[in-house]
Amino acid sequence: RSMSEEADPTPDDIARWRAAAKGGDGDAMCNLGLLCHQNGILHGTDSAEGWWVRGAQVGHTDAMMNLGLLRYEEDRILGPNSAESWWTDAALAGNIDAMCNLGLLRSAQNREFGEDSAQSWWTQAAEVGHADSVHNLAQLRAGQDRTIN
């Protein structure tokens, strides 16, 4: 079972995740990170951050996305090991939630159009049906139409 399937994992679930994580399973690492985050254990080896870093190292894009959210919560938005850097890694690996978040970040930076812009990230996510990105893109285009007229 994954964390998204049940909010309260059993001790057996946690033991299985630990064993799977030891074997390099990114889903298990991500689940252990979520469990730690829910319990307020954010930093250290056996923490949300620790598990998500290990998950990211094996290419788990949800772990990268979660690291970005953790950095955002800590107000570490730009620079190395920031929300932006983790979301970029996840987005480049195909994570559509990270694409949407990068679009929001670029919009907040007034980078709506062009390469590596809100429009470009939201378009990529919208093309595969990400509802928030479709909405954000429509809002962006509506605003663009208003400024042209």
Side-chain angles (χ1 to χ4, degrees):
R1 282 190 315 199
S2 73
M3 283 292 291
S4 60
E5 294 171 2
E6 186 165 317
D8 296 319
T10 67
D12 286 342
D13 292 331
I14 296 168
R16 276 192 299 278
W17 292 339
R18 286 188 179 281
K22 198 174 206 177
D25 186 304
D27 286 334
M29 293 172 195
C30 194
N31 285 342
L32 288 166
L34 288 169
L35 183 63
C36 289
H37 190 266
Q38 289 173 350
N39 290 308
I41 305 166
L42 304 180
H43 300 285
T45 302
D46 194 14
S47 68
E49 178 185 47
W51 284 115
W52 290 334
V53 165
R54 288 190 287 275
Q57 289 170 340
V58 298
H60 197 281
T61 63
D62 287 340
M64 295 173 200
M65 173 67 186
N66 291 339
L67 279 166
L69 291 171
L70 181 63
R71 297 297 182 252
Y72 189 85
E73 290 170 359
E74 298 169 341
D75 203 29
R76 292 170 59 187
I77 311 300
L78 304 172
N81 196 23
S82 66
E84 177 187 43
S85 66
W86 285 112
W87 289 339
T88 298
D89 289 348
L92 292 173
N95 186 296
I96 59 175
D97 290 324
M99 292 174 194
C100 184
N101 284 358
L102 278 172
L104 292 169
L105 184 60
R106 295 299 182 250
S107 182
Q109 296 170 323
N110 293 316
R111 291 172 54 190
E112 281 87 6
F113 302 100
E115 193 174 321
D116 189 30
S117 67
Q119 180 187 37
S120 66
W121 286 115
W122 288 334
T123 298
Q124 288 179 65
E127 286 173 351
V128 291
H130 191 271
D132 289 340
S133 293
V134 170
H135 173 79
N136 293 341
L137 199 53
Q139 293 293 101
L140 180 65
R141 289 178 177 153
Q144 182 184 25
D145 290 342
R146 281 193 299 273
T147 58
I148 292 173
N149 293 329

